[in-house]
Amino acid sequence: MGALMGGGVGLTIGFIFGSYSILRAGAGPRGFLATLSQYMLGSAATFSFFLAIGSVIRSDSLLPPHIEAARLQMLPPIVRTRAEGAALVHARWAAERQKIRVQA
């Protein structure tokens, strides 16, 4: 999906910047259509590549996103009392003090 979106965005950006470049500096020896298509295809390839990588990184999980969301909704919420939270904090502080004493 990222590659398709990147291709569409790249073609559009390539058309805009390629047209501007051709209007400003001329088409060159290859002609208008060849120059514009080179801008568009180069831009589309670049955008497709990076958006495809981004979509792969973003959706790198074992379960599809809609099943993962349903699974998280079914889990019981983690609710603790104030005393339990304080006990956890004190235990972490004690572990930190112990680690500092061992290092010193």
Side-chain angles (χ1 to χ4, degrees):
M1 190 69 192
L4 292 175
M5 297 284 290
V9 170
L11 286 173
T12 305
I13 295 295
F15 177 77
I16 292 170
F17 287 119
S19 298
Y20 177 74
S21 176
I22 289 171
L23 289 174
R24 191 157 178 236
R30 296 180 56 207
F32 174 80
L33 195 59
T35 304
L36 183 61
S37 65
Q38 184 178 3
Y39 272 102
M40 290 175 69
L41 290 176
S43 180
T46 303
F47 272 89
S48 298
F49 179 72
F50 286 112
L51 265 68
I53 289 175
S55 68
V56 167
I57 290 172
R58 185 168 170 86
S59 63
D60 189 25
S61 67
L62 298 176
L63 295 174
H66 64 282
I67 294 176
E68 183 70 24
R71 186 186 69 80
L72 289 175
Q73 285 180 350
M74 298 306 240
L75 289 176
I78 299 173
V79 179
R80 295 195 169 109
T81 64
R82 183 176 274 176
E84 290 173 333
L88 284 172
V89 169
H90 287 291
R92 287 181 188 154
W93 287 347
E96 286 286 328
R97 277 188 241 119
Q98 182 70 19
K99 189 188 299 184
I100 291 172
R101 287 182 190 145
V102 170
Q103 288 176 354

Coordinates of all heavy atoms in Angstrom, one line a residue:
M1 N 0.8 -1.2 0.0 CA 0.0 0.0 0.0 C 0.9 1.3 0.0 O 0.5 2.2 -0.7 CB -0.9 0.0 1.2 CG -2.0 1.0 1.2 SD -3.1 0.6 0.0 CE -4.1 2.0 -0.1
G2 N 2.0 1.2 0.7 CA 2.9 2.4 0.8 C 3.5 2.7 -0.6 O 3.7 3.8 -1.0
A3 N 3.8 1.6 -1.3 CA 4.4 1.8 -2.6 C 3.4 2.4 -3.6 O 3.8 3.3 -4.4 CB 4.9 0.4 -3.2
L4 N 2.1 2.0 -3.5 CA 1.1 2.7 -4.4 C 0.9 4.1 -4.1 O 0.9 5.0 -5.0 CB -0.2 1.9 -4.3 CG -0.2 0.5 -4.9 CD1 -1.5 -0.2 -4.6 CD2 0.1 0.5 -6.3
M5 N 0.9 4.4 -2.8 CA 0.7 5.8 -2.4 C 1.9 6.6 -2.8 O 1.8 7.7 -3.2 CB 0.5 5.9 -0.8 CG -0.8 5.2 -0.3 SD -2.2 6.2 -0.7 CE -2.0 7.5 0.4
G6 N 3.1 6.1 -2.5 CA 4.3 6.8 -2.9 C 4.4 7.0 -4.4 O 4.9 8.0 -4.9
G7 N 4.0 6.0 -5.2 CA 4.0 6.1 -6.6 C 3.1 7.3 -7.1 O 3.5 8.1 -7.9
G8 N 1.9 7.4 -6.5 CA 1.0 8.4 -6.9 C 1.5 9.8 -6.5 O 1.5 10.8 -7.3
V9 N 2.0 9.9 -5.3 CA 2.6 11.2 -4.8 C 3.8 11.5 -5.7 O 4.0 12.7 -6.1 CB 3.0 11.1 -3.3 CG1 3.8 12.3 -2.9 CG2 1.7 11.0 -2.5
G10 N 4.7 10.5 -5.9 CA 5.9 10.8 -6.7 C 5.6 11.2 -8.1 O 6.2 12.1 -8.7
L11 N 4.6 10.6 -8.8 CA 4.2 11.1 -10.1 C 3.7 12.5 -10.1 O 4.0 13.3 -11.0 CB 3.1 10.1 -10.7 CG 3.6 8.8 -11.1 CD1 2.4 7.9 -11.5 CD2 4.5 8.9 -12.3
T12 N 2.9 12.8 -9.1 CA 2.4 14.2 -9.0 C 3.5 15.2 -8.8 O 3.6 16.2 -9.5 CB 1.3 14.3 -7.9 OG1 0.3 13.3 -8.1 CG2 0.7 15.7 -7.8
I13 N 4.4 14.9 -7.8 CA 5.5 15.8 -7.5 C 6.4 15.9 -8.8 O 6.9 17.0 -9.1 CB 6.2 15.4 -6.3 CG1 5.3 15.5 -5.1 CG2 7.5 16.1 -6.1 CD1 4.9 16.9 -4.7
G14 N 6.7 14.8 -9.4 CA 7.5 14.8 -10.6 C 6.9 15.6 -11.7 O 7.6 16.3 -12.4
F15 N 5.6 15.5 -11.9 CA 4.9 16.4 -12.9 C 5.1 17.8 -12.6 O 5.4 18.6 -13.5 CB 3.4 16.0 -13.0 CG 2.7 16.8 -14.0 CD1 2.8 16.6 -15.3 CD2 1.9 17.8 -13.5 CE1 2.1 17.4 -16.2 CE2 1.2 18.6 -14.4 CZ 1.3 18.4 -15.8
I16 N 4.9 18.2 -11.3 CA 4.9 19.6 -10.9 C 6.3 20.2 -11.1 O 6.6 21.2 -11.8 CB 4.4 19.8 -9.5 CG1 2.9 19.5 -9.4 CG2 4.8 21.2 -9.0 CD1 2.4 19.4 -8.0
F17 N 7.3 19.5 -10.5 CA 8.7 20.0 -10.6 C 9.3 19.8 -12.0 O 10.1 20.6 -12.4 CB 9.6 19.3 -9.5 CG 9.3 19.8 -8.1 CD1 8.9 18.9 -7.2 CD2 9.5 21.1 -7.8 CE1 8.6 19.4 -5.9 CE2 9.2 21.6 -6.5 CZ 8.8 20.7 -5.6
G18 N 8.9 18.7 -12.7 CA 9.4 18.5 -14.0 C 8.9 19.6 -15.0 O 9.6 20.1 -15.8
S19 N 7.6 19.9 -14.8 CA 7.0 21.0 -15.7 C 7.7 22.3 -15.4 O 8.0 23.1 -16.3 CB 5.5 21.1 -15.4 OG 4.9 19.9 -15.8
Y20 N 7.9 22.6 -14.1 CA 8.6 23.9 -13.8 C 10.0 23.9 -14.3 O 10.4 25.0 -14.9 CB 8.6 24.0 -12.2 CG 9.3 25.2 -11.8 CD1 8.8 26.5 -11.9 CD2 10.6 25.1 -11.2 CE1 9.4 27.6 -11.5 CE2 11.3 26.3 -10.8 CZ 10.7 27.5 -10.9 OH 11.4 28.6 -10.5
S21 N 10.7 22.8 -14.2 CA 12.1 22.8 -14.8 C 12.1 22.9 -16.3 O 13.0 23.6 -16.8 CB 12.7 21.5 -14.4 OG 14.0 21.4 -14.9
I22 N 11.1 22.3 -16.9 CA 11.1 22.4 -18.4 C 10.7 23.8 -18.8 O 11.3 24.4 -19.8 CB 10.1 21.4 -19.0 CG1 10.7 20.0 -18.9 CG2 9.8 21.7 -20.4 CD1 9.7 18.9 -19.2
L23 N 9.8 24.5 -18.1 CA 9.4 25.8 -18.4 C 10.6 26.8 -18.2 O 10.7 27.8 -18.9 CB 8.2 26.2 -17.6 CG 6.9 25.6 -18.0 CD1 5.8 26.0 -17.1 CD2 6.5 26.0 -19.5
R24 N 11.3 26.5 -17.2 CA 12.4 27.4 -16.8 C 13.7 27.2 -17.7 O 14.3 28.2 -18.1 CB 12.8 27.1 -15.3 CG 13.7 28.2 -14.8 CD 13.5 28.2 -13.3 NE 14.5 29.2 -12.8 CZ 15.4 29.0 -11.9 NH1 15.6 27.8 -11.4 NH2 16.3 29.9 -11.6
A25 N 14.1 26.0 -17.9 CA 15.3 25.8 -18.6 C 15.2 25.1 -20.0 O 16.2 24.9 -20.7 CB 16.2 24.8 -17.8
G26 N 14.0 24.8 -20.4 CA 13.8 24.2 -21.7 C 13.8 22.7 -21.6 O 14.2 22.1 -20.6
A27 N 13.3 22.0 -22.6 CA 13.1 20.6 -22.6 C 14.4 19.8 -22.8 O 14.6 18.7 -22.4 CB 12.1 20.1 -23.7
G28 N 15.4 20.4 -23.5 CA 16.7 19.7 -23.7 C 16.6 19.0 -25.0 O 15.6 19.0 -25.8
P29 N 17.7 18.2 -25.3 CA 17.7 17.6 -26.6 C 16.8 16.4 -26.8 O 16.5 16.0 -27.9 CB 19.2 17.1 -26.7 CG 19.6 17.0 -25.3 CD 18.9 18.1 -24.6
R30 N 16.3 15.8 -25.7 CA 15.4 14.6 -25.8 C 14.0 15.0 -26.0 O 13.2 14.2 -26.3 CB 15.5 13.8 -24.5 CG 17.0 13.3 -24.3 CD 17.1 12.5 -23.0 NE 16.1 11.4 -23.0 CZ 15.7 10.9 -21.9 NH1 16.1 11.4 -20.7 NH2 14.8 9.9 -21.9
G31 N 13.6 16.2 -25.8 CA 12.2 16.7 -26.0 C 11.4 16.8 -24.7 O 11.9 16.4 -23.7
F32 N 10.2 17.4 -24.9 CA 9.4 17.7 -23.7 C 8.9 16.4 -23.0 O 9.1 16.3 -21.8 CB 8.2 18.5 -24.2 CG 7.2 18.8 -23.1 CD1 7.4 19.8 -22.2 CD2 6.0 18.0 -23.0 CE1 6.5 20.0 -21.2 CE2 5.1 18.2 -22.0 CZ 5.3 19.2 -21.1
L33 N 8.3 15.5 -23.8 CA 7.7 14.3 -23.1 C 8.8 13.4 -22.5 O 8.5 12.9 -21.4 CB 6.9 13.5 -24.2 CG 6.0 12.5 -23.7 CD1 4.9 13.2 -22.8 CD2 5.3 11.8 -24.8
A34 N 9.9 13.2 -23.1 CA 10.9 12.3 -22.5 C 11.5 12.9 -21.2 O 11.7 12.2 -20.2 CB 12.0 12.1 -23.5
T35 N 11.7 14.2 -21.2 CA 12.2 14.9 -20.1 C 11.2 14.9 -18.9 O 11.6 14.6 -17.8 CB 12.6 16.3 -20.4 OG1 13.5 16.3 -21.5 CG2 13.3 17.0 -19.2
L36 N 10.0 15.2 -19.2 CA 8.9 15.2 -18.2 C 8.8 13.8 -17.6 O 8.6 13.6 -16.4 CB 7.6 15.7 -18.7 CG 6.5 15.8 -17.7 CD1 6.9 16.8 -16.6 CD2 5.2 16.3 -18.4
S37 N 8.7 12.7 -18.5 CA 8.6 11.4 -18.0 C 9.7 10.9 -17.1 O 9.6 10.2 -16.2 CB 8.3 10.4 -19.1 OG 9.5 10.3 -19.9
Q38 N 10.9 11.4 -17.4 CA 12.1 11.0 -16.6 C 12.0 11.6 -15.2 O 12.2 11.0 -14.2 CB 13.4 11.5 -17.3 CG 14.6 11.1 -16.6 CD 15.9 11.6 -17.3 OE1 15.8 12.2 -18.3 NE2 17.0 11.2 -16.8
Y39 N 11.5 12.9 -15.1 CA 11.3 13.5 -13.8 C 10.2 12.7 -13.1 O 10.4 12.4 -11.9 CB 10.8 15.0 -14.0 CG 11.9 16.0 -14.1 CD1 12.3 16.5 -15.3 CD2 12.6 16.4 -12.9 CE1 13.3 17.4 -15.4 CE2 13.6 17.3 -13.0 CZ 14.0 17.9 -14.2 OH 15.0 18.8 -14.3
M40 N 9.1 12.4 -13.7 CA 8.0 11.8 -13.0 C 8.4 10.4 -12.6 O 8.1 10.0 -11.4 CB 6.8 11.7 -14.0 CG 6.2 13.1 -14.2 SD 4.8 13.1 -15.4 CE 3.6 12.2 -14.5
L41 N 9.0 9.6 -13.4 CA 9.4 8.2 -13.0 C 10.5 8.2 -11.9 O 10.4 7.4 -11.0 CB 9.8 7.4 -14.3 CG 8.7 7.1 -15.2 CD1 9.3 6.4 -16.5 CD2 7.7 6.2 -14.6
G42 N 11.4 9.1 -12.0 CA 12.4 9.2 -11.0 C 11.8 9.5 -9.6 O 12.2 8.9 -8.6
S43 N 11.0 10.5 -9.6 CA 10.3 10.9 -8.4 C 9.4 9.8 -7.9 O 9.4 9.5 -6.6 CB 9.5 12.2 -8.6 OG 8.9 12.6 -7.5
A44 N 8.6 9.2 -8.7 CA 7.7 8.1 -8.3 C 8.5 6.9 -7.7 O 8.1 6.3 -6.7 CB 6.9 7.6 -9.5
A45 N 9.6 6.6 -8.3 CA 10.4 5.5 -7.8 C 11.0 5.8 -6.4 O 11.0 4.9 -5.5 CB 11.6 5.1 -8.8
T46 N 11.5 7.0 -6.2 CA 12.0 7.4 -4.9 C 10.9 7.4 -3.9 O 11.1 6.8 -2.8 CB 12.6 8.8 -5.0 OG1 13.6 8.8 -6.1 CG2 13.3 9.2 -3.7
F47 N 9.8 8.0 -4.1 CA 8.7 8.1 -3.1 C 8.2 6.7 -2.8 O 7.9 6.3 -1.7 CB 7.6 9.0 -3.6 CG 7.8 10.4 -3.3 CD1 8.4 11.3 -4.1 CD2 7.2 10.9 -2.1 CE1 8.6 12.6 -3.8 CE2 7.4 12.2 -1.7 CZ 8.0 13.1 -2.6
S48 N 8.0 5.8 -3.9 CA 7.5 4.5 -3.7 C 8.5 3.7 -2.8 O 8.0 3.0 -1.9 CB 7.4 3.7 -5.0 OG 6.6 4.3 -5.9
F49 N 9.7 3.8 -3.0 CA 10.7 3.1 -2.2 C 10.6 3.4 -0.8 O 10.5 2.5 0.1 CB 12.1 3.3 -2.8 CG 13.2 2.6 -2.0 CD1 13.4 1.3 -2.1 CD2 14.1 3.3 -1.2 CE1 14.4 0.6 -1.5 CE2 15.1 2.7 -0.5 CZ 15.2 1.4 -0.6
F50 N 10.6 4.7 -0.4 CA 10.7 5.1 0.9 C 9.3 4.8 1.6 O 9.3 4.4 2.8 CB 11.1 6.5 1.1 CG 12.6 6.7 0.9 CD1 13.0 7.4 -0.3 CD2 13.5 6.2 1.7 CE1 14.4 7.5 -0.5 CE2 14.9 6.3 1.5 CZ 15.3 7.0 0.4
L51 N 8.2 5.1 1.0 CA 6.9 4.8 1.6 C 6.7 3.3 1.8 O 6.0 2.9 2.7 CB 5.8 5.5 0.8 CG 5.4 6.8 1.4 CD1 6.5 7.9 1.1 CD2 4.1 7.3 0.7
A52 N 7.2 2.5 0.8 CA 7.0 1.0 1.0 C 7.8 0.5 2.2 O 7.3 -0.3 3.0 CB 7.5 0.3 -0.3
I53 N 9.0 1.0 2.4 CA 9.8 0.7 3.6 C 9.1 1.1 4.8 O 9.0 0.4 5.8 CB 11.2 1.3 3.5 CG1 12.0 0.5 2.4 CG2 12.0 1.2 4.8 CD1 13.4 1.1 2.1
G54 N 8.6 2.3 4.8 CA 7.9 2.8 6.0 C 6.7 2.0 6.3 O 6.4 1.8 7.5
S55 N 5.9 1.6 5.3 CA 4.7 0.8 5.6 C 5.1 -0.6 6.2 O 4.4 -1.2 7.0 CB 3.8 0.7 4.4 OG 4.4 -0.1 3.4
V56 N 6.2 -1.2 5.7 CA 6.7 -2.5 6.2 C 7.1 -2.3 7.6 O 6.8 -3.2 8.5 CB 7.8 -3.0 5.3 CG1 8.5 -4.2 6.0 CG2 7.3 -3.4 4.0
I57 N 7.8 -1.3 7.9 CA 8.3 -1.1 9.3 C 7.1 -0.8 10.2 O 7.0 -1.4 11.3 CB 9.3 0.1 9.4 CG1 10.6 -0.3 8.7 CG2 9.5 0.5 10.8 CD1 11.5 0.9 8.5
R58 N 6.2 -0.1 9.8 CA 5.0 0.3 10.6 C 4.1 -0.9 10.9 O 3.6 -1.1 12.0 CB 4.2 1.4 10.0 CG 3.1 1.9 10.8 CD 2.5 3.2 10.2 NE 1.3 3.5 10.9 CZ 1.2 4.2 12.0 NH1 2.3 4.6 12.6 NH2 0.1 4.6 12.5
S59 N 4.0 -1.8 10.0 CA 3.1 -3.0 10.1 C 3.8 -4.3 10.4 O 3.4 -5.3 9.9 CB 2.2 -3.1 8.9 OG 3.0 -3.4 7.8
D60 N 4.9 -4.2 11.1 CA 5.7 -5.3 11.4 C 5.3 -6.0 12.6 O 5.8 -5.8 13.7 CB 7.2 -4.9 11.5 CG 8.1 -6.1 11.6 OD1 7.8 -7.2 11.1 OD2 9.2 -5.9 12.1
S61 N 4.2 -6.8 12.5 CA 3.7 -7.6 13.7 C 3.2 -8.9 13.2 O 3.0 -9.1 12.0 CB 2.6 -6.8 14.4 OG 1.5 -6.7 13.5
L62 N 3.0 -9.8 14.1 CA 2.5 -11.2 13.8 C 1.0 -11.2 13.4 O 0.6 -12.0 12.6 CB 2.8 -12.1 14.9 CG 4.3 -12.3 15.2 CD1 4.5 -13.2 16.4 CD2 5.1 -12.9 14.0
L63 N 0.3 -10.4 14.1 CA -1.2 -10.3 13.8 C -1.5 -9.1 13.0 O -0.9 -8.1 13.1 CB -1.9 -10.3 15.2 CG -1.8 -11.5 16.1 CD1 -2.5 -11.2 17.4 CD2 -2.4 -12.7 15.5
P64 N -2.6 -9.2 12.2 CA -3.1 -8.0 11.5 C -3.6 -7.0 12.5 O -4.0 -7.3 13.6 CB -4.3 -8.5 10.7 CG -4.1 -10.0 10.6 CD -3.3 -10.4 11.8
P65 N -3.5 -5.7 12.1 CA -3.8 -4.6 13.1 C -5.2 -4.7 13.7 O -5.4 -4.4 14.9 CB -3.7 -3.3 12.2 CG -2.8 -3.7 11.1 CD -3.0 -5.1 10.8
H66 N -6.2 -5.1 12.9 CA -7.6 -5.1 13.5 C -7.7 -6.3 14.5 O -8.4 -6.1 15.5 CB -8.6 -5.3 12.4 CG -8.5 -6.5 11.6 ND1 -7.6 -6.7 10.6 CD2 -9.3 -7.7 11.6 CE1 -7.8 -8.0 10.1 NE2 -8.8 -8.5 10.7
I67 N -7.0 -7.4 14.3 CA -7.1 -8.5 15.3 C -6.3 -8.1 16.5 O -6.7 -8.4 17.7 CB -6.6 -9.8 14.7 CG1 -7.5 -10.2 13.6 CG2 -6.4 -10.8 15.7 CD1 -7.1 -11.4 12.8
E68 N -5.2 -7.4 16.4 CA -4.4 -6.9 17.5 C -5.2 -5.9 18.4 O -5.1 -6.0 19.6 CB -3.1 -6.3 17.0 CG -2.1 -5.8 18.1 CD -1.5 -7.0 18.9 OE1 -1.4 -8.1 18.3 OE2 -1.1 -6.7 20.0
A69 N -5.9 -5.0 17.7 CA -6.7 -4.1 18.4 C -7.8 -4.8 19.2 O -8.1 -4.4 20.4 CB -7.3 -3.1 17.5
A70 N -8.5 -5.8 18.6 CA -9.5 -6.5 19.3 C -8.9 -7.3 20.5 O -9.5 -7.4 21.6 CB -10.2 -7.5 18.3
R71 N -7.7 -7.9 20.3 CA -7.1 -8.6 21.4 C -6.8 -7.7 22.6 O -7.0 -8.0 23.8 CB -5.8 -9.2 20.9 CG -5.1 -10.1 22.0 CD -3.8 -10.6 21.5 NE -2.8 -9.6 21.4 CZ -2.1 -9.1 22.5 NH1 -2.3 -9.6 23.7 NH2 -1.2 -8.2 22.3
L72 N -6.3 -6.5 22.3 CA -6.0 -5.5 23.4 C -7.3 -5.0 24.1 O -7.2 -4.7 25.3 CB -5.2 -4.3 22.8 CG -3.8 -4.6 22.4 CD1 -3.2 -3.4 21.7 CD2 -3.0 -5.1 23.6
Q73 N -8.4 -4.9 23.4 CA -9.6 -4.5 24.0 C -10.2 -5.6 24.9 O -10.9 -5.3 25.9 CB -10.7 -4.2 22.9 CG -10.4 -2.9 22.3 CD -11.5 -2.6 21.2 OE1 -12.3 -3.4 20.9 NE2 -11.5 -1.4 20.7
M74 N -9.9 -6.8 24.7 CA -10.4 -7.9 25.5 C -9.6 -8.1 26.8 O -10.0 -8.8 27.7 CB -10.4 -9.2 24.7 CG -11.4 -9.1 23.5 SD -13.0 -8.6 24.0 CE -13.9 -10.0 23.5
L75 N -8.4 -7.6 26.8 CA -7.5 -7.8 28.0 C -8.1 -7.0 29.2 O -8.7 -5.9 29.0 CB -6.1 -7.3 27.8 CG -5.3 -8.1 26.8 CD1 -3.9 -7.4 26.6 CD2 -5.0 -9.5 27.4
P76 N -8.0 -7.5 30.4 CA -8.5 -6.8 31.6 C -7.6 -5.6 31.8 O -6.4 -5.7 31.6 CB -8.4 -7.8 32.7 CG -7.4 -8.8 32.3 CD -7.5 -8.8 30.8
P77 N -8.1 -4.5 32.2 CA -7.3 -3.3 32.5 C -6.4 -3.5 33.7 O -6.8 -4.2 34.7 CB -8.3 -2.2 32.7 CG -9.6 -2.9 33.2 CD -9.5 -4.2 32.5
I78 N -5.2 -2.9 33.7 CA -4.3 -3.1 34.9 C -4.6 -1.9 35.8 O -4.2 -0.8 35.5 CB -2.9 -3.1 34.4 CG1 -2.6 -4.2 33.5 CG2 -1.9 -3.1 35.6 CD1 -1.2 -4.2 32.9
V79 N -5.3 -2.2 36.9 CA -5.7 -1.1 37.9 C -5.1 -1.6 39.2 O -5.3 -2.7 39.7 CB -7.2 -1.0 38.0 CG1 -7.5 0.1 39.0 CG2 -7.8 -0.6 36.6
R80 N -4.3 -0.7 39.8 CA -3.7 -1.0 41.1 C -4.1 0.0 42.1 O -4.3 1.2 41.7 CB -2.1 -1.0 40.9 CG -1.7 -2.2 40.0 CD -0.2 -2.4 40.2 NE 0.2 -3.6 39.6 CZ 1.0 -3.7 38.5 NH1 1.3 -2.6 37.9 NH2 1.3 -4.8 38.0
T81 N -4.0 -0.3 43.3 CA -4.3 0.6 44.4 C -3.1 1.5 44.6 O -2.0 1.3 44.1 CB -4.6 -0.1 45.7 OG1 -3.4 -0.8 46.1 CG2 -5.8 -1.0 45.5
R82 N -3.3 2.6 45.3 CA -2.2 3.5 45.6 C -1.1 2.9 46.4 O 0.1 3.1 46.1 CB -2.8 4.7 46.3 CG -1.7 5.8 46.6 CD -2.3 7.0 47.2 NE -2.9 7.9 46.2 CZ -3.5 9.0 46.4 NH1 -3.8 9.3 47.7 NH2 -3.9 9.7 45.5
A83 N -1.5 2.0 47.3 CA -0.5 1.3 48.1 C 0.4 0.3 47.3 O 1.6 0.2 47.5 CB -1.2 0.5 49.2
E84 N -0.3 -0.4 46.3 CA 0.5 -1.3 45.4 C 1.5 -0.5 44.6 O 2.6 -0.9 44.4 CB -0.5 -2.1 44.6 CG -1.2 -3.1 45.3 CD -2.3 -3.8 44.4 OE1 -2.8 -3.1 43.4 OE2 -2.6 -4.9 44.7
G85 N 1.0 0.7 44.1 CA 1.9 1.5 43.3 C 3.1 2.0 44.1 O 4.2 2.0 43.6
A86 N 2.8 2.5 45.3 CA 3.9 2.9 46.2 C 4.9 1.8 46.5 O 6.1 2.0 46.5 CB 3.3 3.5 47.5
A87 N 4.4 0.6 46.7 CA 5.2 -0.5 47.0 C 6.1 -0.8 45.8 O 7.3 -1.1 45.9 CB 4.4 -1.8 47.3
L88 N 5.6 -0.7 44.6 CA 6.4 -0.9 43.3 C 7.5 0.1 43.2 O 8.6 -0.2 42.9 CB 5.5 -0.9 42.1 CG 4.6 -2.2 41.8 CD1 3.7 -1.9 40.7 CD2 5.5 -3.3 41.5
V89 N 7.1 1.4 43.5 CA 8.1 2.4 43.4 C 9.2 2.2 44.4 O 10.4 2.4 44.1 CB 7.4 3.8 43.6 CG1 8.5 4.9 43.8 CG2 6.5 4.1 42.4
H90 N 8.9 1.9 45.7 CA 9.9 1.7 46.7 C 10.8 0.5 46.4 O 12.0 0.5 46.6 CB 9.2 1.5 48.1 CG 8.6 2.7 48.6 ND1 9.4 3.8 49.1 CD2 7.3 3.1 48.8 CE1 8.7 4.7 49.5 NE2 7.4 4.4 49.4
A91 N 10.2 -0.6 45.8 CA 11.0 -1.7 45.4 C 12.0 -1.3 44.2 O 13.2 -1.7 44.3 CB 10.1 -2.8 44.9
R92 N 11.5 -0.5 43.3 CA 12.5 0.0 42.3 C 13.6 0.9 42.8 O 14.7 0.8 42.4 CB 11.7 0.8 41.2 CG 10.8 -0.1 40.3 CD 10.1 0.7 39.3 NE 9.1 -0.2 38.6 CZ 8.1 0.3 38.0 NH1 7.8 1.6 38.0 NH2 7.2 -0.6 37.4
W93 N 13.2 1.7 43.8 CA 14.2 2.6 44.4 C 15.2 1.7 45.2 O 16.4 2.0 45.1 CB 13.6 3.6 45.4 CG 12.8 4.7 44.7 CD1 12.9 5.0 43.4 CD2 11.9 5.6 45.3 NE1 12.0 6.1 43.2 CE2 11.5 6.5 44.3 CE3 11.5 5.8 46.6 CZ2 10.6 7.5 44.6 CZ3 10.6 6.8 46.9 CH2 10.1 7.6 45.9
A94 N 14.8 0.7 45.9 CA 15.7 -0.2 46.6 C 16.6 -0.9 45.6 O 17.8 -1.0 45.9 CB 14.9 -1.2 47.4
A95 N 16.1 -1.3 44.5 CA 16.9 -2.0 43.5 C 18.0 -1.0 42.9 O 19.1 -1.4 42.7 CB 16.1 -2.6 42.4
E96 N 17.6 0.2 42.7 CA 18.5 1.2 42.2 C 19.6 1.5 43.3 O 20.8 1.6 42.9 CB 17.8 2.5 41.9 CG 17.0 2.5 40.7 CD 17.8 2.6 39.4 OE1 18.9 3.2 39.4 OE2 17.4 2.0 38.4
R97 N 19.2 1.6 44.5 CA 20.2 1.8 45.6 C 21.2 0.6 45.7 O 22.4 0.8 45.8 CB 19.6 2.0 46.9 CG 19.1 3.5 47.1 CD 18.6 3.7 48.6 NE 17.2 4.1 48.4 CZ 16.2 3.5 48.9 NH1 16.3 2.4 49.7 NH2 14.9 3.9 48.7
Q98 N 20.7 -0.6 45.6 CA 21.5 -1.8 45.6 C 22.5 -1.8 44.4 O 23.6 -2.1 44.6 CB 20.6 -3.0 45.6 CG 21.4 -4.3 45.7 CD 22.0 -4.5 47.1 OE1 21.6 -3.9 48.0 NE2 23.0 -5.4 47.2
K99 N 22.0 -1.4 43.3 CA 22.9 -1.4 42.1 C 24.0 -0.3 42.2 O 25.1 -0.6 41.9 CB 22.0 -1.0 40.8 CG 22.8 -1.2 39.5 CD 22.1 -0.7 38.3 CE 20.8 -1.4 38.1 NZ 20.1 -1.0 36.9
I100 N 23.6 0.8 42.8 CA 24.7 1.9 43.0 C 25.7 1.4 44.0 O 26.9 1.7 43.9 CB 24.0 3.2 43.4 CG1 23.2 3.8 42.3 CG2 25.0 4.2 43.9 CD1 22.3 4.9 42.6
R101 N 25.2 0.7 45.1 CA 26.2 0.3 46.1 C 27.1 -0.8 45.6 O 28.3 -0.8 45.9 CB 25.4 -0.3 47.3 CG 24.8 0.7 48.2 CD 24.1 0.1 49.4 NE 23.3 1.1 50.0 CZ 22.1 0.9 50.6 NH1 21.6 -0.4 50.6 NH2 21.4 1.8 51.1
V102 N 26.6 -1.6 44.7 CA 27.5 -2.7 44.1 C 28.5 -2.1 43.2 O 29.6 -2.5 43.1 CB 26.6 -3.7 43.3 CG1 27.4 -4.7 42.5 CG2 25.7 -4.5 44.3
Q103 N 28.1 -1.0 42.4 CA 29.0 -0.4 41.5 C 30.1 0.4 42.2 O 31.2 0.6 41.7 CB 28.3 0.5 40.6 CG 27.4 -0.2 39.6 CD 26.6 0.7 38.7 OE1 26.6 1.9 38.9 NE2 25.9 0.2 37.7
A104 N 29.8 0.9 43.4 CA 30.7 1.8 44.1 C 31.8 1.0 44.9 O 32.2 0.0 44.9 CB 30.0 2.7 45.2

